[in-house]
Amino acid sequence: MTTNTITLLPSVEAFLATPKQLLINGEWVDAKDGKTFATVNPSTEKVLVQVAQASAMDVDRAVVAARSAFESPSPWSKMSPRDRSHLLWRIGDLIDESAEEFAQLESLDNGKTLESARGDVGVAAELFRYFAGWATKMEGTTIPMSVPGRDFHAYTRREAIGVVAGIVPWNFPLTMAAFKIVPAITAGNTVILKPAEQTPLTALRLGQLLLDAGLPAGVVNVVTGFGDTGAALVEHHGVDKVAFTGSTEVGKKIAAAASGNLKKVSLELGGKAPNIIFADADLDAAIAGAALAGYFNEGQCCVNGSRLYVQRGVFDRVVEGVAAAAKAIKVGDGFAADSTMGPLVSQEQYEKVLGYIRGAVEAGATISAGSADAAGGNGYFVQPTLITSVTEDMAVQTDEIFGPVITAIPFDTEDEVVAAANNTVYGLAAGVWTKDIGTAHRVGARLRAGTVWLNTWHADDVTLPRGGYKQSGWGRELGSFGLEDYTELKTVIAELR
Ligand code: NAI
Ligand code: MG
């Protein structure tokens, strides 16, 4: 399947030439018990490199390092907001300087196309620069008090929480790492990052870049490993906050395990976003938008529009259009210049996604594009798939599939489609296509989701808060709201005697 394969940068070859270690207290170290695991290129199923597998002992070392880097009078606790701001900006620029190296590593480790990986690297760099501006703007307020005969000056301060564990998934490995690290260190916290076992490489490369940029030792630690490494972090009483992105199932486990020391928890979990096309929409834009909504990032994106609802009069035309868009996608090695979609991240995801497609066929649904058949050969490739004749009770309609699978269902009235759209345990994203401004904003307000797109999908900026209603999560990330999630609010009361 590989054509026009792009040559690896010498820096990428060098990175992959040696086993990867844990970053603890500014040093690269092996796991205490010496364990390692392999990370694999999902386009070829070949091992890229061995990576240290952190146990609870290593997690404990990382927590000790993060704690001492945080506690006053550490260099980090004494760094001025302006210096933090300049450092964050410098990191953003350094990422840009190594952008191609990050993009190649991301494409190799995750499978996504090199072009798509380049976009992700740009977002990560911009995230550092956006938050660089906030470091000097963590302001408090002064608040009047009314106590007869006495004078007071009362004010609030925004302070860091302490040691933050960031646990991230494999769909956007570098940007997810940045989503957790950047607001945390902007606010003066220290971090232990646990990358996904499927995609540890760019987080490790970022760890090196942070050291090169001059971030003090222990401020960001990277512990690679599986779910048990994450669980050890969540259970550790030296951790003050857990910021997690991943499945709703693991999110629930984290919420329960975090109760030991009542650490703060923020959760960005699954989704099953409804995408609603009314008959009066700009159909060309809506069809292209529906394909992007469903197939972006191989369908492995929590805000993907996987449930398509189309008003009956235009249903056939939209299905035909989305099926044609699906067939026009060129699935292949993420590193091949002509691929517009890479493989899924792992064998596990590949089998899960094909299982859902097969299950839908067995339940009586129709495949309008794509296939339930295994591609054959190496690599976890799944064709973008559109499924019709779907009913609301089918697993393909109720479950987060996390693959390039769209289901399409016709509707007649606004009330009917709003009820169907909201009939899910998730509430991460939703979208509406119509030329009627009243319909757009009214339906947008009725949809129970943290992000609503009107006549667009995946339009995004690091300035915008995001997060989930219902079982899609707790809290909001990015923007000024996202920064608050990494702070404690202190009230100070002084008597003026
Ligand atoms: P996952 O939720 O198991 O993994 C996410 C991260 O959590 C990884 O770093 C993993 O090592 C860690 N983890 C696993 N168990 C843990 C535990 N008990 N305590 C602490 N950390 C733990 O997701 P997985 O297994 O990779 O994918 C399964 C399904 O989850 C996907 O098919 C998809 O439906 C959903 N998912 C959703 C994502 C989203 O952004 N909403 C991202 C990734 C997966
Ligand atoms: Mg898992």
Side-chain angles (χ1 to χ4, degrees), residues 167-171 194-198 225-227 230-231 234 244-247 250 253-254 268-270 302 349 352 400-402:
I167 301 174
V168 296
W170 40 260
N171 50 346
K194 212 297 278 175
E197 54 271 34
Q198 298 85 351
F226 292 77
V234 178
F244 173 74
T245 299
S247 61
V250 171
K253 286 188 197 164
I254 287 176
E268 292 278 327
L269 308 177
C302 50
Q349 286 301 119
K352 175 183 165 186
E400 180 179 56
I401 297 174
F402 236 60

